[in-house]
Amino acid sequence: MVKQLYYEDVEIGQDIPVLQKIATTRMLVQWAGATGDFNPLHYDEEFAKSLGVGGPIVHGALKKAWLINLLTDWIGEEGQIKKFSCRYRGMDYPRKMETFDVPKDGETWVCKGKAIKKFIEGDNHFVECNVWVENGKGETTTSGTALVSLPSKIN
Amino acid sequence: MAVFEVPEPLKKLIGQVVATSVNLIEQGAIQRYSRAVGDSNPLYNDVEYAVNTRWGRLMAPPAFVGWPVGADSFDMIKFVEKLIGLGAPSGLLDGGVEYEFCTPVGTGDILLAVVKILNIEGRETRMGPTMITTVESTFTNQNGAVALIMRNTFLNF
């Protein structure tokens, strides 16, 4: 079970504990199967090149799911994401496979976030956050915002 | 490069409901999704754990319901093919998403999705002349409560 975060635990400017992710060609196929997004842009080298993106790219929606994972790990089971939005700003390229289940060395992505505002409305305790995904070069390739509600220690 | 001029037949779609679908949220689909994300949260993976929480069942991660999971009977790719048939450029990229989560979703929920075209516009992007479409999907559960509202933006270039 994820440790529970309370409204009182959060300070404005506080960093959300980072979440590291990798993406491999194998994982993109797994994602396609799990979600039903079979756009060949994500697994067919020639098709992706013909669209001018260089090669198969990581699904934007997978990076969205990483950011949701970052948030649900942080807020715990009593916390709820109320609003979330993100934009896919840059292309990310998956690692190739070394063996059938071991990826080659390569890029690791880091999901990050920061609490930027907290406020109480009625019985609800809200925290607003910025969240983003950085590639191996430290460039932000996906960025977004979230509004979460947290339990309070006081009521 | 130039701004993409949206053809008239596509402009006519703005504001229209383009699909409705009924979606049963399945345990196996949630587990496959969580594994694909690499999210090991037991609430989304471990049925035995989940039934002993206050939710009493395996829950879906917030973004599990989205394009295209949980809306299987609405095939977004087929829809995009229709847009291309009406004159949209044939390249496709996901631009981003906006969610409002109202009621948590878990195993056994039945969601009715109503999918509406909010906007279609032409722009110039780094991909060249680009058509940007925003689609709003409202998911209502079997108790009549809105589970979530999702707005997807995608780019044809």
Side-chain angles (χ1 to χ4, degrees), chain B residues 33-125:
Chain B
Y33 176 92
S34 303
R35 280 201 292 273
V37 178
D39 185 342
S40 58
N41 192 324
L43 191 59
Y44 313 138
N45 290 277
D46 182 344
V47 178
E48 209 177 314
Y49 172 87
V51 294
N52 290 307
T53 64
R54 69 180 167 121
W55 305 105
R57 59 193 170 136
L58 196 79
M59 298 302 287
F64 169 75
V65 179
W67 173 28
V69 182
D72 290 337
S73 44
F74 175 51
D75 188 329
M76 185 65 95
I77 297 288
K78 278 221 174 70
F79 172 68
V80 171
E81 279 168 0
K82 183 185 161 190
L83 298 185
I84 293 166
L86 292 173
S90 62
L92 175 65
L93 273 178
D94 195 349
V97 64
E98 196 180 305
Y99 284 103
E100 287 171 41
F101 297 109
C102 308
T103 310
V105 175
T107 307
D109 279 344
I110 299 167
L111 302 182
L112 170 69
V114 176
V115 184
K116 192 167 120 182
I117 303 294
L118 274 194
N119 195 30
I120 298 179
E121 61 180 5
R123 266 192 230 163
E124 185 186 326
T125 70

Side-chain angles (χ1 to χ4, degrees), chain A residues 1 21 31 34-36 41 51 57 64-66 68-69 72 77-78 81-89, chain B residues 32-33 37-39 43-44 49 53-54 62-63 68-69 92-101 126 157:
Chain A
M1 184 178 166
K21 292 284 186 184
W31 174 260
T35 62
L41 175 62
L51 287 179
I57 59 169
K64 166 199 74 184
W66 289 350
I68 296 279
N69 188 175
T72 51
E77 274 174 26
E78 302 298 317
I81 302 176
K82 293 292 185 186
K83 289 183 185 177
F84 175 88
S85 68
C86 72
R87 287 184 57 204
Y88 310 123
R89 308 158 69 97
Chain B
R32 281 191 292 280
Y33 176 92
V37 178
D39 185 342
L43 191 59
Y44 313 138
Y49 172 87
T53 64
R54 69 180 167 121
V69 182
L92 175 65
L93 273 178
D94 195 349
V97 64
E98 196 180 305
Y99 284 103
E100 287 171 41
F101 297 109
R126 65 196 153 126
F157 61 93

